């Protein structure tokens, strides 16, 4: 499929080109993106050889001449607070985060498209990293978030947390757009548009994209295991990520099947009697279920004692744990 044209027009050059660069970073979109700082250049470009699919234009730059281009989807960046009465124009508040503007525009656009301008020929699929231990309070989530933020510095990375009572919002210090059960609902309802819609519900920490853990745990434990493996295959093969980190728990159904989907598995251990007994029982169960593949992909980590553990999520890459990950694990993953 040929690329469809998405044009941006704003008399503020910095704004127009910043928006263009933000859209170009969305590697899942098969748009040819152009920025214009004047109406005359936009009109010259659009007539007659270039058919523009979408136009994002500021209210002050708009002219009735735009109608001559017959653009199917026109988005007005509203500056006055007074919405355009043109029923085929969609108004978006200009004075908000650029990422929110892009998400608003794409959600509206994709909701009205049957055939999407989608890139499906990925050079390589995403790598899935599972983090699971039968031992509790072993720094599993701290480890997962730290690893994710380190990887996100060079690679687009998604973090998913499967805890039932994570306290995530409290620790993060802010509300999130959605949680992991919302993501699954989205996947089940609109699979053909899922990878596009996903970006509208993700949050980020230090460049690491994440979906918040379930707010209501029965919603999590009621999701069948085969739905999780279907979701992971979609993210692996059609999504925009290079790494997907799964911070797993016993509450997710189909846990062993999910582990089997992983490329690497990290299991944190401890040396005390109770911890060793739990690990022995877990490993015996893997052997009984003939999950030798899970065993072969698992690296057991006996973490050293760290003097200082980062509590705030956005400070984890400066911790002793981050130094340990960089020294001991990063070469094997990258």
């Amino acid at each position: 499929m040929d690329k469809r044209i998405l044009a941006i027009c704003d008399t503020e050059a910095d704004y127009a080109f910043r928006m263009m660069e933000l859209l170009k970073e969305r590697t899942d979109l098969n748009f040819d993106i152009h920025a214009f700082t004047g109406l005359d250049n936009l009109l010259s470009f659009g007539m007659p050889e270039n058919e523009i699919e979408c136009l994002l234009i500021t209210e002050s730059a708009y002219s009735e001449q735009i109608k001559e281009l017959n653009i199917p989807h026109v988005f007005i960046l509203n500056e006055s607070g007074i919405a355009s009465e043109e029923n085929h124009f969609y108004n978006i508040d200009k004075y908000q985060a650029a990422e929110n503007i892009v998400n608003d525009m794409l959600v509206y656009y994709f909701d009205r498209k049957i055939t999407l301008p989608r890139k499906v020929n990925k050079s390589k699929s995403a790598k899935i990293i599972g983090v699971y231990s039968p031992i509790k309070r072993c720094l599993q989530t701290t480890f997962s978030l730290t690893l994710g933020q380190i990887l996100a510095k060079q690679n687009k990375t998604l973090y998913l947390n499967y805890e039932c009572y994570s306290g995530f919002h409290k620790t993060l210090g802010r509300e999130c757009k959605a949680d992991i059960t919302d993501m699954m609902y989205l996947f089940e309802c609109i699979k053909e548009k899922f990878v596009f819609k996903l970006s509208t519900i993700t949050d980020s920490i230090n460049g690491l994209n994440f979906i918040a853990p379930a707010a209501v745990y029965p919603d999590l434990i009621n999701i069948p295991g085969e739905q999780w493996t279907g979701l992971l295959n979609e993210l692996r093969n059609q999504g925009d990520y290079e790494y997907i980190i799964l911070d797993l728990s016993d509450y997710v159904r189909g846990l062993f099947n999910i582990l089997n989907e992983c490329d690497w598995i990290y299991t944190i251990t401890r040396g005390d009697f109770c911890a060793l007994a739990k690990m022995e029982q877990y490993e015996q169960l893997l052997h009984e279920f003939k999950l030798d593949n899970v065993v072969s992909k698992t690296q057991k980590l006996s973490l050293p004692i760290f003097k200082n553990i980062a509590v705030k999520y956005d400070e984890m890459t400066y911790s002793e744990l981050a130094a340990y990950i960089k020294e001991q694990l990063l070469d094997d993953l990258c």
Side-chain angles (χ1 to χ4, degrees), residues 141 145 159 161 163 165-174 176 203 205 210-213 247 313:
T141 292
L145 282 167
Y159 167 79
N161 181 302
E163 290 181 275
Y165 296 105
S166 66
F168 203 85
H169 294 85
K170 182 78 171 180
T171 310
L172 185 63
R174 58 182 164 93
C176 300
D203 289 274
I205 311 168
F210 70 89
I211 303 291
D247 186 355
Y313 290 161

Side-chain angles (χ1 to χ4, degrees), residues 17-295:
F17 287 105
R18 187 168 68 250
M19 189 65 71
M20 179 178 70
E21 290 305 316
L22 182 62
L23 280 160
K24 284 184 175 180
E25 289 175 2
R26 289 288 303 272
T27 56
D28 57 325
L29 300 179
N30 198 30
F31 279 116
D32 192 6
I33 302 168
H34 298 264
F36 302 90
T37 57
L39 187 62
D40 290 341
N41 290 336
L42 172 63
L43 293 172
S44 298
F45 174 83
M47 297 177 65
E49 64 275 7
N50 295 310
E51 294 184 3
I52 299 173
E53 172 82 7
C54 294
L55 172 64
L56 181 65
I57 184 169
T58 52
E59 184 180 16
S60 57
Y62 177 78
S63 165
E64 289 293 311
Q65 293 173 277
I66 293 294
K67 293 181 180 179
E68 299 174 14
L69 299 178
N70 294 316
I71 300 171
H73 305 279
V74 177
F75 302 89
I76 303 292
L77 283 172
N78 196 285
E79 300 162 299
S80 66
I82 302 172
S84 169
E85 295 181 357
E86 295 279 359
N87 59 14
H88 60 289
F89 292 166
Y90 183 68
N91 283 258
I92 303 174
D93 180 13
K94 180 179 179 179
Y95 302 110
Q96 60 177 316
E99 183 179 347
N100 292 342
I101 292 173
V102 169
N103 285 339
D104 196 358
M105 179 183 68
L106 293 177
V107 166
Y108 186 89
Y109 174 74
F110 292 145
D111 278 345
R112 283 151 183 79
K113 297 300 293 181
I114 297 174
T115 304
L116 304 178
R118 180 176 181 178
K119 290 182 181 177
V120 295
N121 296 320
K122 296 180 63 174
S123 59
K124 56 183 179 180
S125 59
K127 299 296 184 183
I128 299 177
I129 302 170
V131 186
Y132 170 76
S133 176
I135 303 165
K136 308 310 171 192
R137 299 190 62 82
C138 63
L139 298 181
Q140 177 176 309
T141 292
T142 303
F143 171 86
S144 302
L145 282 167
T146 304
L147 174 62
Q149 290 180 61
I150 291 171
L151 288 173
K153 290 183 181 297
Q154 300 293 332
N155 309 275
K156 192 165 184 182
T157 305
L158 177 68
Y159 167 79
L160 302 177
N161 181 302
Y162 290 81
E163 290 181 275
C164 280
Y165 296 105
S166 66
F168 203 85
H169 294 85
K170 182 78 171 180
T171 310
L172 185 63
R174 58 182 164 93
E175 292 298 315
C176 300
K177 297 175 186 175
D179 70 21
I180 197 167
T181 59
D182 296 320
M183 178 183 68
M184 179 56 78
Y185 177 80
L186 199 65
F187 174 66
E188 287 297 306
C189 290
I190 51 167
K191 289 183 180 179
E192 73 282 359
K193 299 179 182 180
F194 171 71
V195 293
F196 295 104
K197 287 277 196 173
L198 181 62
S199 66
T200 69
I201 64 168
T202 55
D203 289 274
S204 65
I205 311 168
N206 282 339
L208 171 65
N209 287 354
F210 70 89
I211 303 291
V216 182
Y217 86 86
D219 293 343
L220 174 69
I221 62 178
N222 287 331
I223 297 173
E226 59 268 20
Q227 290 186 15
W228 289 120
T229 53
L231 172 73
L232 292 176
N233 284 326
E234 182 73 6
L235 288 171
R236 184 201 296 274
N237 297 314
Q238 305 296 344
D240 193 30
Y241 290 98
E242 296 170 86
Y243 290 96
I244 301 165
I245 296 179
L246 310 179
D247 186 355
L248 294 161
S249 78
D250 298 317
Y251 297 102
V252 60
R253 292 169 65 181
L255 173 62
F256 287 168
N257 289 333
I258 293 172
L259 288 171
N260 202 42
E261 292 290 328
C262 296
D263 298 285
W264 295 280
I265 301 167
Y266 291 115
T267 295
I268 300 173
T269 67
R270 292 205 306 257
D272 61 274
F273 178 80
C274 288
L276 292 173
K278 290 179 180 182
M279 279 300 304
E280 182 180 343
Q281 183 177 353
Y282 166 63
E283 292 176 330
Q284 182 178 350
L285 196 60
L286 290 178
H287 287 299
E288 287 179 3
F289 284 6
K290 302 187 184 305
L291 291 169
D292 294 334
N293 190 40
V294 171
V295 175

